[in-house]
Amino acid sequence: MSSLQEAESKQNATKALHSDPSASSVPSSNPYDTLIEAAVGDPVQIQALYEAHRSTRNERQREKLLDSAFAGVVLDPILLKISDQTIDPGYVDPRHCLVFWARPPKHIRSLIVQLQQKLLAVAPRLWIMPSDGLHMTTLEITHSRTAEEVAHLVGAIRPRVNEITDYTLGHRARLIKPMLSYDDAAVALSFVPEADDLYTYHHLRRDVHALVRKTGAPVDSRQDEAGFKPDPAMMRRWVNKLEEVNRWLQLEHWSDRMDGQWINMAKTPPSARWASYEGWDWGGLKERLETLMRGINQQALIDHASLLLFQKVTISDAFSAGQYWCCFELTAEDGALFIARVRLPPHPDIIQTTDETHSIECEVTTMLFISDLNLRLRSPKLFAFEKKGSPWASLVKAPYMLIEGFYGNTLQGAHTLEKIITQWTNIQAELATISFSRIGFICEYSKISGPVLGRLSWASAEDLSPDGPFDSAKDYYVAFGEPKLRRAQELPDDGDANTQRRLRPFIFLDMNLLVDEQFNIIAVIDWEFAQSAAVSANYFPMPFPLKIAGDSEEAILADPDHLAYEDFSKQAATRDLYLRKMLRLGYGLEGNKVEEHLDKLLEDMNTSI
């Protein structure tokens, strides 16, 4: 950029500071282009303009509110009647509006509730937005209209509404640095666009405005209301509180932490990350999978889901396949997600070590059992299960289940370790409150009689005889240990003293966790190998690094120059963090406090079976 261009850019940016950086007074153009042009499209300048605008505006409003000649705060007379029904009993707001909202994520909603409580401490009669109505206005199309007028606008916009609401699927925008912005009418939590993103929230508002204008719908502006004059001392207390809260926000929520960041994007469906055949192109697996996919009747899945949901559904082109299951995403007209989880036939070259039918049926009953317990943890709702030979399974050409889908991601690649483990240990603690009289798989369940424990589906893989259920921990360990002893006696003595002990997870094992953009766990899925087990079988759950038997780990941790010191230090720190979080919960196992034995329990010989 030339020096002349830079000077012109700075001059335009300075002009933009004296008006709302998100709007323009030119009705025939896109009002959001002005600032982007002033900043030459530079996200760093865009953020700077937003920050300068809101700080300058707050300074001006402070002077105005504290001026002895201040005329009074602006009141919304309709809101006043709604909040105080003694003024006009039974009054109903006649105003209708049409707005595209950005809904705040959970951590931002929590922050707002916290801020509301701080403000209510100095202004008890302050009207606050209910938590279920919290929003940021991406674009206000109109306000204060009649129902008929809004219905007319809706009719104009409806053909393109999906295009508008889905726009953030490919246009993510982040907002940071929360601050209270205020004037003589209201107070709101404001953000600024992230400077590291070429596509900012301001670009998003510009694009949504352009999409709406293409429908022919006009975009209106707000008008002022009447007001009243408060006591000057009260106004000073109010302004001081606003400034105090803003200092607290800057100290606590302007760092690189996720709790002050709002990512504006449409809920990304799981299929957006599904790789279909990618990663299967080896050993003939891709060709086998392609043959299986051609055999699955996807239309039958669509028909079944449509009948259950009483609305049309579409199926994703992408799918997610594993060793046992293939998942297709079904999207209903209202945007709800469902997963068709189709069982894949066993590989001809792999010896089956589990009772497949029993294993699937136990997963189904476990899901029903967990959903009826009203736990804090969320597992997928089961809408249908079609086992082999059923009419629907015959149509689809495979057994399958239709379950609830979630807008989320797996924990792969998540780096906010402490936040994840805090939630994970809460899930573990909640599951540990469920007690059973026997050890085995949940093979039957009814709300009246409760769960029935049956044999272990993987018993044949371990040569267990009997295969369960077991009445005591002793019976379980004996059945598990005898075949291992027989196999061990058949092995030659290789003299290897450094054999590593590996834990086998027992209690509700192999579950997958789904998280949202802020790494909040939103669902626990995949319950196929969940089972009850003895308390002594508690373990450090996978993929936590396991402690090596003997003193080799202690020796490595005592030697900072050791080649494996860094990795082992991280492993030890992870286990320690998990243990501390579990101890802090203080839940009871078999009537005993965890604090008394959990540290020994997790490294006990029984957990190494």
Side-chain angles (χ1 to χ4, degrees), residues 49 77 83 88 129 192 211 221 227 288 318 380 393 415 428 435 455 527 536 538 569 578:
L49 289 173
S83 59
D88 190 351
M129 176 68 74
V192 298
L211 290 170
S221 59
R288 170 177 171 266
H415 300 295
Q428 294 278 351
S435 61
R455 56 192 170 86
W527 297 79
S536 54
N538 267 278
S569 297
Y578 177 82

Side-chain angles (χ1 to χ4, degrees), residues 280-583:
W280 286 86
D281 200 12
W282 59 278
L285 290 177
K286 181 177 180 180
E287 291 76 10
R288 170 177 171 266
L289 189 58
E290 288 174 335
T291 302
L292 295 174
M293 289 298 105
R294 287 194 293 268
I296 293 176
N297 185 349
Q298 294 187 25
Q299 186 58 50
L301 293 173
I302 294 172
D303 294 342
H304 192 184
S306 297
L307 287 173
L308 291 173
L309 304 174
F310 300 102
Q311 55 181 309
K312 293 181 180 179
V313 301
T314 56
I315 195 166
S316 61
D317 292 326
F319 61 85
S320 176
Q323 183 175 349
Y324 302 109
W325 297 92
C326 177
C327 292
F328 297 94
E329 180 183 274
L330 299 167
T331 306
E333 288 178 303
D334 61 3
L337 283 186
F338 303 88
I339 301 297
R341 195 161 174 248
V342 182
R343 188 72 174 191
L344 297 176
H347 193 286
D349 298 333
I350 297 178
I351 299 175
Q352 292 302 298
T353 57
T354 61
D355 184 335
E356 181 178 84
T357 301
H358 179 65
S359 178
I360 297 172
E361 292 177 348
C362 287
E363 178 177 16
V364 169
T365 54
T366 300
M367 290 171 65
L368 294 173
F369 170 65
I370 291 295
S371 65
D372 280 347
L373 291 179
N374 295 317
L375 303 175
R376 290 189 300 273
L377 72 87
R378 189 176 180 187
S379 62
K381 180 180 179 181
L382 179 70
F383 292 94
F385 167 56
E386 299 297 331
K387 60 184 178 181
K388 186 176 181 179
S390 74
W392 278 108
S394 299
L395 282 173
V396 173
K397 308 299 184 186
Y400 67 93
M401 58 180 74
L402 295 176
I403 62 176
E404 179 183 10
F406 297 94
Y407 288 97
N409 199 358
T410 63
L411 273 175
Q412 287 186 333
H415 300 295
T416 51
L417 185 62
E418 183 165 359
K419 181 173 184 177
I420 291 167
I421 293 181
T422 299
Q423 299 173 82
W424 196 340
T425 49
N426 273 278
I427 291 174
Q428 294 278 351
E430 192 167 32
L431 291 175
T433 63
I434 307 169
S435 61
F436 301 92
S437 60
R438 310 180 82 185
I439 296 173
F441 274 46
I442 302 175
C443 60
E444 296 178 23
Y445 169 69
S446 73
K447 293 184 179 181
I448 299 175
S449 59
V452 175
L453 277 293
R455 56 192 170 86
L456 305 175
S457 69
W458 49 264
S460 59
E462 301 291 345
D463 295 329
L464 262 64
S465 180
D467 57 6
F470 301 95
D471 293 321
S472 69
K474 179 180 179 181
D475 293 340
Y476 175 76
Y477 287 124
V478 169
F480 199 97
E482 285 183 342
K484 287 187 175 292
L485 177 61
R486 289 196 301 271
R487 287 198 294 270
Q489 290 173 335
E490 295 170 0
L491 294 174
D493 184 4
D494 56 10
D496 185 1
N498 295 317
T499 302
Q500 295 185 358
R501 294 175 181 163
R502 298 195 177 276
L503 301 180
R504 288 295 303 271
F506 290 128
I507 301 179
F508 296 101
L509 68 157
D510 290 345
M511 297 177 299
N512 292 323
L513 304 177
L514 295 181
V515 297
D516 62 16
E517 293 290 339
Q518 283 74 41
F519 301 113
N520 299 302
I521 295 176
I522 58 176
V524 180
I525 63 174
D526 194 354
W527 297 79
E528 183 168 359
F529 296 105
Q531 66 167 86
S532 66
V535 170
S536 54
N538 267 278
Y539 66 105
F540 282 112
M542 295 295 289
F544 283 73
L546 309 176
K547 190 170 183 177
I548 298 175
D551 60 358
S552 57
E553 180 172 315
E554 284 75 9
I556 293 173
L557 292 175
D559 181 8
D561 295 327
H562 195 283
L563 184 64
Y565 176 81
E566 183 177 355
D567 287 340
F568 273 68
S569 297
K570 292 178 180 179
Q571 293 173 8
T574 303
R575 288 195 304 269
D576 180 65
L577 178 60
Y578 177 82
L579 179 60
R580 285 190 287 108
K581 295 294 183 181
M582 291 291 282
L583 292 175

Side-chain angles (χ1 to χ4, degrees), residues 32-326:
Y32 300 98
D33 281 333
T34 303
L35 181 133
I36 294 175
E37 294 169 358
V40 201
D42 182 0
V44 175
Q45 289 195 46
I46 291 175
Q47 183 191 91
L49 289 173
Y50 265 78
E51 288 189 303
H53 166 74
R54 68 177 184 178
S55 60
T56 301
R57 185 176 183 276
N58 272 2
E59 289 174 6
R60 290 175 178 172
Q61 290 299 320
R62 181 181 186 278
E63 293 176 0
K64 177 181 178 180
L65 295 177
L66 298 180
D67 193 305
S68 58
F70 176 51
V73 297
V74 176
L75 290 181
D76 181 339
I78 294 178
L79 183 58
L80 184 62
K81 294 178 184 179
I82 294 173
S83 59
D84 187 353
Q85 285 288 306
T86 63
I87 298 175
D88 190 351
Y91 181 81
V92 178
D93 190 344
R95 301 172 298 183
H96 293 76
C97 64
L98 184 58
V99 186
F100 282 103
W101 280 358
R103 287 287 196 178
K106 183 178 179 181
H107 71 288
I108 295 296
R109 294 198 304 271
S110 299
L111 173 62
I112 293 172
V113 170
Q114 191 175 0
L115 297 176
Q116 288 173 338
Q117 296 306 310
K118 290 178 181 289
L119 298 182
L120 285 172
V122 296
R125 297 187 62 191
L126 177 70
W127 184 86
I128 60 174
M129 176 68 74
S131 59
D132 60 353
L134 294 172
H135 66 277
M136 179 178 286
T137 299
T138 302
L139 184 70
E140 181 181 61
I141 299 170
T142 192
H143 67 94
S144 304
R145 299 286 187 175
T146 64
E148 292 75 17
E149 289 173 321
V150 170
H152 176 74
L153 290 171
V154 169
I157 295 172
R158 188 181 297 279
R160 305 194 70 156
V161 71
N162 287 337
E163 178 186 1
I164 297 170
T165 57
D166 292 347
Y167 194 73
T168 52
L169 282 172
H171 302 80
R172 188 187 76 160
R174 289 190 294 168
L175 293 164
I176 60 172
K177 298 184 177 180
M179 173 188 282
L180 293 180
S181 292
Y182 58 92
D183 56 21
D184 56 358
V187 58
L189 186 65
S190 64
F191 294 79
V192 298
E194 170 59 72
D196 292 335
D197 299 335
L198 292 176
Y199 188 86
T200 70
Y201 183 69
H202 192 86
H203 290 88
L204 175 63
R205 300 192 74 186
R206 176 202 63 185
D207 292 349
V208 172
H209 183 278
L211 290 170
V212 170
R213 288 298 297 269
K214 286 181 181 179
T215 68
V219 179
D220 295 340
S221 59
R222 289 272 170 169
Q223 297 177 356
D224 291 334
E225 305 287 353
F228 85 102
K229 185 175 177 65
D231 175 68
M234 182 182 73
M235 182 54 66
R236 180 167 292 280
R237 288 197 300 273
W238 172 244
V239 173
N240 287 343
K241 172 56 73 172
L242 293 173
E243 293 178 341
E244 174 191 320
V245 170
N246 276 338
R247 287 192 295 271
W248 175 80
L249 282 170
Q250 187 168 357
L251 287 172
E252 297 293 329
H253 298 278
W254 281 31
S255 66
D256 292 332
R257 292 159 46 185
M258 292 288 291
D259 56 2
Q261 183 178 129
W262 180 347
I263 302 176
N264 279 274
M265 60 183 299
K267 294 179 177 179
T268 306
S271 62
R273 292 175 290 270
W274 287 353
S276 297
Y277 296 107
E278 184 179 331
W280 286 86
D281 200 12
W282 59 278
L285 290 177
K286 181 177 180 180
E287 291 76 10
R288 170 177 171 266
L289 189 58
E290 288 174 335
T291 302
L292 295 174
M293 289 298 105
R294 287 194 293 268
I296 293 176
N297 185 349
Q298 294 187 25
Q299 186 58 50
L301 293 173
I302 294 172
D303 294 342
H304 192 184
S306 297
L307 287 173
L308 291 173
L309 304 174
F310 300 102
Q311 55 181 309
K312 293 181 180 179
V313 301
T314 56
I315 195 166
S316 61
D317 292 326
F319 61 85
S320 176
Q323 183 175 349
Y324 302 109
W325 297 92
C326 177

